[in-house]
Amino acid sequence: MFITDDIHRQFAEFFDDKNIWPYAYVLSKKLSEGNVCINLNDPSLFDNTTPYASLVPIETVLQNKQLISTKEDGLNTPFIVHDHHLYFQRYFKYESICIDKISKLIENETSELPARKSELVRLIDLIKSLQATYAINSLPSQECIDWQMIAVLQALLNNFTIITGGPGTGKTTTLAKLLILLFELQPTTAIALAAPTGKAAMRMHDALKNSSLPFALTTKQKINSLQPSTIHSLLGYKEDTVNFKYHANNPLPYDWIIVDEASMIDLPLFAKLLDALAPHARIVLLGDKDQLASVEAGSLLGDLCASIPQLNLFTNNQIDWINQFIPDDNRKLTSENATDTAALLTSHILELKFSHRFNSVGAIGKLSKAIITGAIENIQECIRIPDDKIVFYPVFQKEAFDEIISAYKNYILEPDILKAIHLFNQQRILVAVRAGTQGLYAINKIIEDQLKKMYLIKPDAEFYENKPIMITRNRYDLGLYNGDIGIVRADANGVLKVWFDSGNGTLKSVLPAYLSNYECVFAMTIHKSQGSEFDKVMVVIPEGMEMPMLTKELLYTAITRAKTYLVVVGAEETILQAAQSSIHRISGIKNRIEANQKEGVSA
């Protein structure tokens, strides 16, 4: 008997029909890389890394109706072929649920639109009071438009809405404006706030509580009383099973579901969330479509945003209706935003354009835009022309770390623990990988050794005074979430504890013995940094790194964590090559939505 440690080969050869083996092997491997399906028309799909010498045509494989079928044959086989794409049955059904549910939500809006529009006209004075106030001198025309208010209006008209935008574009402020109007329209409405991680959910809630918008007292109380959760918790996670408490036959008891950091949601979880919506419920997704996709299979937010040729387009009638709520003519929609051909998600995906953190002509904003668009000459200009906001080091060297290491000294010397946590969180080193000489573990050790040489820390035990740690798994029993950051300090009795900012101006502490899933966090991975922001950021791009891992989405995510100051350690050639490499996860979302719209049928 042939023995192999290749798990994908083990899976493929579980089936009796040898004709399916190459297809099952590649599909299993691609799924592990985040792809939902494989494109059978891709000539590079079956290369010399596939451990099978022969490949029969898919038409031959399709003759085995026990293993593989088309949508027309039914969906009771392990493999499904649809539109020249091969799926596992489960993932084809997940994708179908998402497309069907979104289509149905949008279809059901039609009869509700007249009443919803009338209700909003009644609130026109309140809506105008929430208009944008930032200066628009010298800004590109599309950044002048009050996209926040337009996104709010559309969310209140739609059953399904995506609000996307880069860092600092005001996604949470837009949400706050939405809640002000929503509670005015429906004072007793039931709202669920959720995110893929507990930390992201708490950040959303904290940002809402700290908003400076003119909330009415009752509205402020209602917002403060909302209890954010992970999507898993919202759905009622059941240990050791893929099923949840809430589903199509037992829907969620909410009128509105609002989900932040939607780029991190994988396909199976999103399908289960949509499937659990009550028939009358409405859903709003917030996230940055250009950020890294989910760790698991699928890139739902990006796929949905890519399903229409251009975002922020409306029919002329929609433009006229929206513009009545925007008092400043310079912030109204223009003819640039008009379209005669509306796709399924037209006016359901709104992109916020103006960044309050950094504009498109500032150093960090210019670099991030150049990277996500692959504008090589602009990236080279950013690298080669000195700027007081960005510093580039072409090679990995100690001098690059000196400034941030010195900044870490500030939190160590601060006696007030809460202030120390805030000082620590003003800067961070971000890395692309965990292993290697320029990976997470090595760089954390470099920082520890340097701080030890400066007599600032004494790393002689697993938990030592002033060690910063990050929780890597939700601990609901302790009120701690994946991504929470704390520092080790002795209490008044000399007992070492890990201290965390509770988010309301107070501290909570945990004895180290209670913690099992954590890591040192002088440096953190770029993936873990999603949703965070720091005044100063250093990004370390390893030399000789496998290029498929280093993409423009990874660089963009890292660079846009910086609010005011950025250090990039990496060769220009590597940065330019990464800017031309993109995460491309295969799914059928875009093509199936387009096909369904043409045919007028369900997925």
Side-chain angles (χ1 to χ4, degrees):
M1 182 178 176
F2 180 76
I3 304 294
T4 177
D5 59 359
D6 186 336
I7 190 171
H8 307 298
R9 186 167 185 178
Q10 290 176 17
F11 168 77
E13 295 179 9
F14 168 82
F15 300 98
D16 293 334
D17 186 348
K18 291 185 178 182
N19 289 336
I20 197 73
W21 288 3
Y23 294 96
Y25 179 90
V26 173
L27 181 59
S28 176
K29 186 177 180 181
K30 291 295 184 181
L31 179 64
S32 72
E33 296 168 358
N35 298 280
V36 173
C37 54
I38 57 175
N39 183 353
L40 296 170
N41 291 333
D42 182 356
S44 66
L45 204 58
F46 301 94
D47 55 23
N48 56 11
T49 64
T50 307
Y52 303 104
S54 61
L55 179 72
V56 302
I58 190 66
E59 289 75 19
T60 302
V61 183
L62 278 169
Q63 293 174 14
N64 187 341
K65 299 296 185 182
Q66 305 250 310
L67 280 182
I68 188 168
S69 63
T70 64
K71 182 183 172 186
E72 290 71 28
D73 297 327
L75 302 176
N76 295 317
T77 55
F79 303 95
I80 306 294
V81 170
H82 181 77
D83 189 28
H84 305 291
H85 287 72
L86 179 66
Y87 294 79
F88 287 118
Q89 179 205 99
R90 186 155 54 102
Y91 282 85
F92 183 79
K93 287 185 175 179
Y94 286 146
E95 198 173 85
S96 298
I97 288 170
C98 291
I99 297 169
D100 283 342
K101 290 291 183 179
I102 292 171
S103 299
K104 193 68 174 175
L105 283 165
I106 294 173
E107 178 187 330
N108 290 344
E109 291 167 5
T110 307
S111 61
E112 300 287 342
L113 284 177
R116 290 175 183 175
K117 287 183 174 181
S118 295
E119 289 177 335
L120 287 171
V121 170
R122 179 172 58 83
L123 297 181
I124 192 166
D125 290 337
L126 176 58
I127 293 170
K128 287 181 176 181
S129 73
L130 298 173
Q131 67 178 304
T133 56
Y134 60 88
I136 58 177
N137 296 336
S138 303
L139 286 178
S141 60
Q142 289 296 299
E143 289 187 31
C144 297
I145 294 172
D146 190 352
W147 288 115
Q148 289 187 8
M149 183 49 61
I150 293 167
V152 169
L153 291 169
Q154 286 304 130
L156 290 167
L157 292 178
N158 299 340
N159 286 343
F160 177 85
T161 306
I162 292 174
I163 301 173
T164 186
T169 52
K171 293 183 290 292
T172 306
T173 300
T174 303
L175 174 57
K177 292 177 180 180
L178 172 63
L179 292 174
I180 288 173
L181 296 176
L182 184 53
F183 281 123
E184 187 70 27
L185 290 167
Q186 304 166 15
T188 60
T189 191
I191 300 172
L193 298 181
T197 67
K199 181 63 176 176
M202 292 304 298
R203 274 197 299 264
M204 171 172 55
H205 194 229
D206 291 343
L208 286 171
K209 288 196 296 185
N210 296 326
S211 172
S212 59
L213 287 172
F215 294 98
L217 178 60
T218 54
T219 300
K220 188 73 170 176
Q221 291 171 339
K222 288 174 182 176
I223 290 174
N224 290 347
S225 68
L226 295 174
Q227 295 297 318
S229 70
T230 64
I231 300 172
H232 284 83
S233 295
L234 177 68
L235 290 172
Y237 172 70
K238 294 181 179 180
E239 196 168 355
D240 300 324
T241 176
V242 296
N243 299 316
F244 292 94
K245 174 183 176 181
Y246 294 104
H247 45 75
N249 296 323
N250 183 34
L252 289 160
Y254 295 100
D255 306 310
W256 287 76
I257 311 292
I258 297 170
V259 183
D260 199 11
E261 297 294 347
S263 63
M264 299 166 65
I265 307 175
D266 58 63
L267 174 66
L269 186 60
F270 189 58
K272 290 172 183 180
L273 177 62
L274 288 177
D275 205 37
L277 290 181
H280 70 282
R282 299 156 74 176
I283 185 167
V284 177
L285 306 176
L286 302 105
D288 186 346
K289 64 180 177 61
D290 295 322
Q291 270 194 187
L292 288 166
S294 62
V295 175
E296 305 298 332
S299 51
L300 242 297
L301 188 71
D303 287 345
L304 291 171
C305 290
S307 72
I308 50 180
Q310 184 180 337
L311 302 184
N312 293 353
L313 293 182
F314 307 84
T315 65
N316 285 315
N317 287 338
Q318 287 175 311
I319 288 175
D320 291 340
W321 188 84
I322 290 168
N323 279 344
Q324 69 180 308
F325 296 94
I326 301 174
D328 186 343
D329 288 343
N330 295 313
R331 301 183 192 272
K332 293 179 185 287
L333 291 169
T334 70
S335 57
E336 288 183 57
N337 306 107
T339 180
D340 294 326
T341 55
L344 176 69
L345 288 166
T346 298
S347 74
H348 290 76
I349 306 176
L350 292 307
E351 183 176 14
L352 308 180
K353 292 286 191 178
F354 175 75
S355 176
H356 296 265
R357 185 185 302 177
F358 39 72
N359 61 41
S360 58
V361 295
I364 299 175
K366 183 179 179 180
L367 177 62
S368 63
K369 183 177 180 181
I371 284 175
I372 207 64
T373 58
I376 298 303
E377 291 183 0
N378 291 347
I379 298 171
Q380 289 175 320
E381 181 182 338
C382 291
I383 294 173
R384 297 173 184 177
I385 299 177
D387 188 278
D388 60 356
K389 300 295 184 184
I390 307 180
V391 176
F392 286 90
Y393 288 88
V395 294
F396 186 77
Q397 58 195 91
K398 174 184 173 297
E399 289 76 14
F401 290 85
D402 287 346
E403 189 171 348
I404 284 189
I405 290 173
S406 297
Y408 279 145
K409 177 175 68 174
N410 296 331
Y411 92 87
I412 294 172
L413 298 179
E414 172 56 56
D416 184 289
I417 298 175
L418 187 60
K419 290 180 180 178
I421 293 172
H422 292 169
L423 285 171
F424 176 76
N425 285 328
Q426 287 179 357
Q427 60 278 314
R428 193 73 80 249
I429 300 172
L430 303 181
V431 299
V433 293
R434 290 180 169 271
T437 57
Q438 293 152 54
L440 179 71
Y441 309 122
I443 289 180
N444 270 320
K445 186 67 167 59
I446 289 171
I447 305 302
E448 277 189 330
D449 289 345
Q450 187 62 23
L451 292 172
K452 180 181 178 181
K453 288 179 183 177
M454 298 167 69
Y455 301 101
L456 291 169
I457 60 172
K458 192 176 180 181
D460 53 359
E462 176 63 21
F463 290 92
Y464 57 84
E465 190 86 13
N466 287 307
K467 179 177 182 177
I469 70 163
M470 179 172 64
I471 302 300
T472 58
R473 186 175 181 180
N474 292 336
R475 286 292 304 271
Y476 298 108
D477 56 326
L478 300 175
L480 296 175
Y481 301 98
N482 184 1
D484 280 350
I485 290 174
I487 60 174
V488 179
R489 287 268 178 106
D491 66 10
N493 297 316
V495 178
L496 280 182
K497 294 181 178 179
V498 186
W499 300 84
F500 299 87
D501 181 356
S502 64
N504 58 7
T506 62
L507 288 163
K508 57 184 172 186
S509 63
V510 178
L511 288 169
Y514 286 106
L515 300 178
S516 55
N517 298 97
Y518 62 88
E519 59 191 20
C520 183
V521 72
F522 288 114
M524 68 194 300
T525 64
I526 297 169
H527 279 85
K528 285 287 188 182
S529 75
Q530 289 192 85
S532 299
E533 59 182 38
F534 312 97
D535 289 335
K536 295 181 180 179
V537 166
M538 171 185 285
V539 181
V540 179
I541 303 170
E543 300 166 10
M545 184 177 174
E546 287 287 330
M547 289 314 297
M549 185 181 294
L550 187 58
T551 63
K552 65 180 182 181
E553 290 86 0
L554 190 79
L555 279 181
Y556 169 85
T557 300
I559 286 166
T560 53
R561 299 312 94 201
K563 291 197 292 184
T564 58
Y565 186 71
L566 174 68
V567 177
V568 180
V569 180
E572 178 179 323
E573 180 184 357
T574 305
I575 294 170
L576 297 179
Q577 197 169 348
Q580 298 173 78
S581 175
S582 180
I583 296 172
H584 179 60
R585 292 187 170 181
I586 302 169
S587 84
I589 293 284
K590 181 176 183 292
N591 289 342
R592 291 178 70 185
I593 287 177
E594 290 174 353
N596 291 346
Q597 189 164 9
K598 289 176 184 176
E599 297 171 12
V601 297
S602 67

